[in-house]
């Protein structure tokens, strides 16, 4: 079996194994697995409203997955997507509330502000990695908490003095679409899905079709060889983190300008940035794979809300299934060994 085929088969096997073990856990704990999965499907695709919500949930997942995957493809581990998303969310809302502009200026400006905020937040660990060899995993994890508490402070003291949330953004800065909402029985589906898909193309084109993308990937593969070839390792490390952070900031813009329209004081993380790690892993860090992985995770997250109502099954069991899928993806080398052995037996 070719490596390309393995890259397709391994995630599928991981998903099947995760669902299988999750089914066993449901049965062992006394729940009806069949009813649970029917309720899950109905909650994701049973009505056009739920389908619209799935696509709405998929939108930030795609961008968070791209943020993780872009860094990984260039040899870095950006675990700070959650924090970059949060500062992007705040920046988009700030622009959306503070200015009164025509829509063709206001909306792009708010989106750009979110991408810039995410990029600047990722610039710090990129700079520390490039100049002082500080491991980006440690810095990005710490900066998630800094982002959470700093944005809460700004919301509490600057943007909303007597409330735990900001004002609603101006309509001219909103990604909401009455057309898409009408098509999906008034779900929260918005135009952000087009931005997410455009970013999928941008990542593919940048990494696969440009000289700069080749440099970024080369530095990720071997820094010493890249430096010997005349590439600036430090500059490419910083650039990689900045681009990754921009994708994460855009994920925050999707929530700020599309789903909610405001920023609120958060008691904890949104989870979207961390789920982006799972999306990137399952998608094989490839743009197309990330779309399908985001669709799976979005379907599970939205469909799970229907499980307690229709089947009496706790929706936390879906989180267990997601964790199992990630586990099997992380242990993909075992699946590859199994596939190789099956292939060899088939040849004999």
């Amino acid at each position: 079996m070719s490596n390309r085929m393995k890259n397709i088969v391994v995630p599928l096997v991981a998903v099947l194994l995760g669902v299988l073990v999750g089914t066993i856990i449901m049965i062992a704990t006394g729940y009806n697995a069949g009813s649970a999965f029917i309720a899950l499907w109905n909650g994701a695709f049973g009505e056009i409203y739920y389908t619209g919500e799935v696509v709405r949930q998929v939108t930030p997942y795609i961008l968070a997955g791209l943020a993780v995957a872009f860094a990984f493809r260039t040899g870095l581990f950006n675990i700070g997507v959650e924090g970059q998303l949060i500062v992007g969310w705040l920046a988009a809302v700030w622009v959306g509330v503070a200015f009164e502009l025509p829509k063709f200026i206001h909306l792009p400006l708010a989106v750009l502000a979110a991408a810039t905020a995410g990029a600047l937040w990722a610039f710090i660990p990129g700079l520390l990695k490039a100049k002082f060899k500080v491991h980006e995993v440690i810095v990005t994890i710490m900066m998630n908490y800094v982002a959470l508490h700093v944005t809460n402070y700004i919301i509490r003291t600057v943007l909303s003095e007597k409330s735990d949330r900001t004002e609603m953004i101006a309509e001219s800065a909103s990604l909401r679409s009455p057309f898409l909402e009408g098509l999906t029985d008034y779900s929260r589906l918005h135009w952000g899905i087009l931005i997410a898909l455009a970013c999928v193309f941008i990542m593919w084109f940048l990494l696969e079709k440009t000289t700069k993308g080749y440099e970024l990937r080369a530095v990720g593969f071997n820094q010493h060889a890249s430096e010997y070839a005349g590439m600036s390792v430090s500059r490419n490390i910083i650039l990689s983190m900045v681009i990754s952070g921009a994708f994460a900031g855009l994920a925050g813009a999707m929530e700020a300008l599309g789903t909610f329209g405001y920023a609120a004081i958060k008691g904890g993380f949104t989870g979207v940035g961390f789920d982006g790690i799972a999306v990137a892993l399952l998608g094989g860090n490839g743009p197309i794979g990330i779309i399908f992985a985001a669709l799976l995770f979005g379907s599970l997250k939205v469909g799970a809300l229907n499980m307690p109502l229709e089947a009496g099954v706790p929706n936390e069991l879906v989180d267990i299934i997601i964790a199992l899928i990630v586990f099997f993806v992380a242990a993909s080398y075992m699946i590859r060994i199994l596939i190789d052995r099956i292939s060899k037996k088939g040849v004999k």
Side-chain angles (χ1 to χ4, degrees):
M1 184 180 294
S2 66
N3 286 331
R4 175 173 289 186
M5 185 59 67
K6 284 182 186 177
N7 291 336
I8 297 173
V9 171
V10 169
L12 292 176
V13 173
V15 171
L16 292 175
L17 289 173
V19 172
L20 177 61
V21 177
T23 301
I24 294 172
I25 292 173
M26 284 187 200
I27 295 172
T29 51
Y31 294 107
N32 188 321
S35 298
F37 285 116
I38 291 172
L40 179 68
W41 176 266
N42 290 338
F45 303 106
E47 296 180 14
I48 191 65
Y49 170 83
Y50 296 135
T51 303
E53 284 295 302
V54 167
V55 178
R56 191 270 312 163
Q57 183 67 58
V58 164
T59 301
Y61 276 173
I62 289 175
L63 290 162
L66 291 176
V68 175
F70 190 92
F72 190 82
R73 291 281 299 275
T74 55
L76 299 169
F77 296 91
N78 185 5
I79 313 299
V81 170
E82 178 72 21
Q84 294 147 22
L85 180 151
I86 290 172
V87 297
W89 186 331
L90 180 66
V93 169
W94 199 331
V95 172
V97 170
F99 297 98
E100 294 182 5
L101 298 166
K103 192 176 184 72
F104 72 93
I105 297 176
H106 203 180
L107 178 55
L109 184 63
V111 172
L112 182 61
T116 302
L120 290 174
W121 205 253
F123 170 80
I124 299 172
L127 180 66
L128 293 174
K129 170 78 171 182
K131 299 300 183 182
F132 305 105
K133 307 302 180 186
V134 180
H135 205 291
E136 72 276 9
V137 170
I138 304 300
V139 180
T140 52
I141 289 174
M142 293 171 63
M143 290 195 68
N144 285 332
Y145 292 93
V146 176
L148 175 65
H149 295 297
V150 167
T151 54
N152 280 348
Y153 176 80
I154 292 173
I155 292 169
R156 185 181 295 111
T157 60
V158 178
L159 297 181
S160 57
E161 296 181 1
K162 297 182 179 180
S163 175
D164 61 353
R165 48 168 283 188
T166 67
E167 301 175 12
M168 294 294 293
I169 60 171
E171 183 61 30
S172 56
S174 177
L175 283 167
R176 288 186 59 189
S177 167
F179 172 72
L180 294 177
E181 291 174 2
L183 286 179
T184 55
D185 198 17
Y186 301 100
S187 73
R188 291 176 292 174
L189 180 60
H190 52 80
W191 291 118
I193 185 63
L194 299 181
I195 296 176
L197 294 176
C199 287
V200 169
F201 173 78
I202 289 170
M203 174 175 163
W204 169 82
F205 185 82
L206 178 59
L207 287 179
E208 304 296 339
K209 300 297 180 181
T210 66
T211 303
K212 179 53 67 177
Y214 175 81
E215 281 192 23
L216 291 170
R217 288 187 290 118
V219 170
F221 283 128
N222 193 317
Q223 292 186 8
H224 297 295
S226 300
E227 189 171 12
Y228 182 78
M231 302 176 190
S232 174
V233 172
S234 296
R235 185 169 64 245
N236 281 297
I237 287 174
I238 294 172
L239 180 60
S240 175
M241 285 299 294
V242 165
I243 295 173
S244 174
F247 284 137
L250 287 174
M254 300 303 101
E255 301 293 76
L257 307 178
T259 302
F260 295 99
Y262 61 86
I265 294 173
K266 298 175 178 61
F269 295 119
T270 68
V272 175
F274 296 119
D275 288 341
I277 300 172
V279 169
L281 283 173
L282 184 60
N285 296 303
I288 302 302
I290 285 171
I291 293 176
F292 289 106
L295 181 60
L296 173 66
F297 281 90
S299 302
L300 290 173
K301 285 289 186 179
V302 174
L305 300 176
N306 190 49
M307 287 168 58
L309 303 175
E310 193 172 309
V313 178
N315 55 15
E316 287 79 8
L317 281 168
V318 168
D319 292 327
I320 294 175
I321 292 174
I322 290 174
L324 288 167
I325 291 172
V326 173
F327 169 78
F328 286 116
V329 171
S332 60
Y333 68 94
M334 294 189 296
I335 300 175
R336 289 178 181 274
I337 291 173
L338 180 63
I339 291 173
D340 287 338
R341 289 183 177 179
I342 294 173
S343 298
K344 288 178 180 178
K345 288 182 180 180
V347 172
K348 291 180 181 179

